[in-house]
Amino acid sequence: MNHLIIYAHPNPNSLSHAYLEVMKEQTRANGHNVIVRDLYQMNFKPVDYAADFEKSRRGEYPEEILTEQEFLQKADLISLIYPVWWGSMPAIMKGYFDRVFTRGFAFDYHPEKGLLKLMKGKKALVINNMGDSRKHSDQSGMTDSILNFIRSGVFGFCGIETVDHMLFGNATTRDKIVRIEYIEQVRKLISKHLPAMATV
């Protein structure tokens, strides 16, 4: 299977980066292909300016967007890794969806059938860290907001099934045991959804 990881964190020493490394390692160890799109390292431009926006409305996309769409088309499993900032994703990740998940590629509208979900058949994993505790996030309604935004507002809108969403609270902890446990949970998640391929 083809595993596409879309990663957004500016700090290479972050816990999010540790998740990225273990996801790559376990995907390959289980015999699957993996591609990483590190948005900060790529210096991905998250906004369309006026001229770009008008071209996009005409279906004229720059090469960088067509490249990302090709990676998405080939992917069986799409994983997102990003921290929760102010209840949502970093701007660079939101800009990725704004610019890449375009009408005619990810979705479309039909005069009689209505919304067409053009990415059906693909599955997604989402891994988030947040500084808040899960208990407080659950009680405040923030957890539901975070989960629903990506599950329904983005992936669900395009027909992608979110098969797991791991939201780790207190992720700024310096407790190494907790951090190791979070990383191992991510490793197990990959083996759950990308099990080792049988060898002959």
Side-chain angles (χ1 to χ4, degrees):
M1 293 180 69
N2 293 320
H3 183 195
L4 176 65
I5 304 174
I6 306 169
Y7 172 74
H9 200 298
N11 183 0
N13 298 313
S14 66
L15 185 54
S16 291
H17 197 269
Y19 300 154
L20 173 63
E21 291 302 312
V22 77
M23 288 180 84
K24 290 192 299 182
E25 175 187 310
Q26 197 61 47
T27 298
R28 289 171 179 147
N30 289 359
H32 303 278
N33 301 316
V34 62
I35 295 290
V36 176
R37 308 305 287 160
D38 184 336
L39 301 186
Y40 282 100
Q41 188 178 66
M42 292 162 51
N43 198 26
F44 182 82
K45 187 179 78 169
V47 296
D48 269 328
Y49 295 104
D52 299 324
F53 186 75
E54 288 305 314
K55 287 180 180 178
S56 295
R57 286 171 62 90
R58 298 194 298 268
E60 300 172 11
Y61 303 112
E63 192 63 33
E64 65 190 79
I65 299 304
L66 295 175
T67 296
E68 298 309 315
Q69 291 178 343
E70 185 176 354
F71 282 127
L72 286 160
Q73 283 178 328
K74 293 178 179 178
D76 301 297
L77 178 67
I78 302 165
S79 290
L80 304 183
I81 306 173
Y82 62 89
V84 174
W85 291 347
W86 290 108
S88 187
M89 56 182 59
I92 199 168
M93 179 71 86
K94 178 58 166 59
Y96 183 91
F97 288 112
D98 289 346
R99 298 192 65 215
V100 178
F101 278 53
T102 57
R103 180 174 180 174
F105 169 73
F107 69 95
D108 211 336
Y109 293 104
H110 187 277
E112 297 177 359
K113 298 178 181 179
L115 176 64
L116 302 177
K117 301 181 178 186
L118 303 182
M119 302 185 77
K120 288 182 177 179
K122 297 185 184 299
K123 299 183 183 300
L125 302 176
V126 184
I127 312 294
N128 296 143
N129 280 336
M130 62 180 179
D132 197 5
S133 69
R134 270 302 299 265
K135 180 179 180 180
H136 181 264
S137 181
D138 290 349
Q139 291 175 343
S140 69
M142 186 62 70
T143 297
D144 288 340
S145 176
I146 293 167
L147 299 181
N148 289 335
F149 169 69
I150 192 68
R151 182 183 297 270
S152 300
V154 178
F155 284 148
F157 192 81
C158 303
I160 301 171
E161 179 189 1
T162 304
V163 292
D164 254 308
H165 191 151
M166 303 187 83
L167 180 60
F168 295 109
N170 297 319
T172 55
T173 179
R174 297 181 183 275
D175 188 325
K176 290 185 178 180
I177 294 176
V178 172
R179 292 170 69 89
I180 290 171
E181 174 58 29
Y182 285 176
I183 293 167
E184 286 307 304
Q185 286 186 48
V186 172
R187 185 188 299 277
K188 291 176 183 177
L189 184 71
I190 293 302
S191 286
K192 173 183 175 183
H193 294 288
L194 291 174
M197 298 177 67
T199 56
V200 178

